[in-house]
């Protein structure tokens, strides 16, 4: 079996970012034995530090009534379900609308798409690709941190803070 090293240039690879995210969600899924324990447990924005670890000092310093301190209005269970859903979409793909329906929708958005407009759009494809690739990499990194935080927070909630470390 050949091992692939994660060099500096590969660190920013979309493929590796997807693998890190899928690995973090798989770890979360294996760690969280009782997902219902995550209900009504808020995921705090301040729990996300540079390494994606839980920061109890920051959590203790937060005012309890501050709604802006939460990552969102969702509880940890809804983040858990969201992360698993995104993982499944990456692994299995998303359901596409029928081809005729999508083509009609694109044609309406583009206003017909004549040959002159098509040439201008093709020149911009590389720029669009790099923009979306960069954005996707950024989103996957944030989701990976969120999965790691949720896993660590679950361990903290059930009292196994040194599990797997």
């Amino acid at each position: 079996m050949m091992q692939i090293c994660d060099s500096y240039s590969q660190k920013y690879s979309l493929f590796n970012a997807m693998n890190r995210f899928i690995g973090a969600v798989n770890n979360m899924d294996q760690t969280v034995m009782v997902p219902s324990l995550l209900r009504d447990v808020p995921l705090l924005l301040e729990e996300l530090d540079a390494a994606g670890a839980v920061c109890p000092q920051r959590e203790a310093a937060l005012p309890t009534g501050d709604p802006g301190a939460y990552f969102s209005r969702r509880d940890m269970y809804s983040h858990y379900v969201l992360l698993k859903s995104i993982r499944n979409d990456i692994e299995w793909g998303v359901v596409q609308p029928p081809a005729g329906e999508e083509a009609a929708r694109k044609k309406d958005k583009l206003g017909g798409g004549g040959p002159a407009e098509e040439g201008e759009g093709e020149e911009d494809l590389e720029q669009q690709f790099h923009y979306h690739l960069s954005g996707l990499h950024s989103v996957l990194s944030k989701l990976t941190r969120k999965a790691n935080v949720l896993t660590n927070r679950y361990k903290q909630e059930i009292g196994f803070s040194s599990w797997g470390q």
Side-chain angles (χ1 to χ4, degrees):
M1 183 171 170
M2 190 171 89
Q3 186 176 4
I4 299 173
C5 65
D6 195 17
S7 70
Y8 180 77
S9 63
Q10 290 177 335
K11 181 180 178 183
Y12 297 104
S13 147
L14 179 61
F15 182 73
N16 286 338
M18 287 191 301
N19 281 334
R20 283 190 299 271
F21 169 71
I22 289 170
V25 174
N26 286 341
N27 181 39
M28 175 191 74
D29 202 18
Q30 291 172 357
T31 301
V32 178
M33 297 293 191
V34 186
S36 62
L37 289 177
L38 300 173
R39 290 191 188 275
D40 300 325
V41 178
L43 184 61
L44 301 176
L45 174 63
E46 282 70 14
E47 289 180 317
L48 296 174
D49 65 359
V54 176
C55 298
Q57 300 86 2
R58 291 183 190 172
E59 183 179 348
L62 288 175
T64 54
D66 183 14
Y70 295 106
F71 192 70
S72 75
R73 299 254 184 242
R74 299 181 188 182
D75 59 3
M76 283 180 48
Y77 179 78
S78 51
H79 286 285
Y80 173 82
V81 171
L82 174 71
L83 291 164
K84 285 184 61 171
S85 172
I86 292 171
R87 179 199 56 193
N88 288 339
D89 287 347
I90 289 173
E91 290 180 330
W92 300 102
V94 291
V95 177
Q96 299 291 326
E101 210 175 288
E102 176 137 351
R105 199 171 346 145
K106 283 183 180 178
K107 189 174 182 179
D108 288 342
K109 284 183 180 178
L110 295 175
E117 293 174 358
E118 189 175 311
E120 292 171 5
E122 285 182 24
E123 293 173 6
D124 195 41
L125 287 178
E126 184 178 6
Q127 183 181 4
Q128 289 178 11
F129 172 75
H130 287 292
Y131 173 78
H132 289 292
L133 183 65
S134 168
L136 183 57
H137 190 277
S138 174
V139 167
L140 283 170
S141 295
K142 289 176 185 176
L143 289 172
T144 301
R145 278 196 310 269
K146 188 186 287 190
N148 289 332
V149 166
L150 194 144
T151 302
N152 291 334
R153 179 75 185 274
Y154 177 81
K155 289 177 186 178
Q156 183 183 30
E157 290 290 323
I158 63 170
F160 289 112
S161 61
S162 62
W163 241 23
Q165 294 178 356

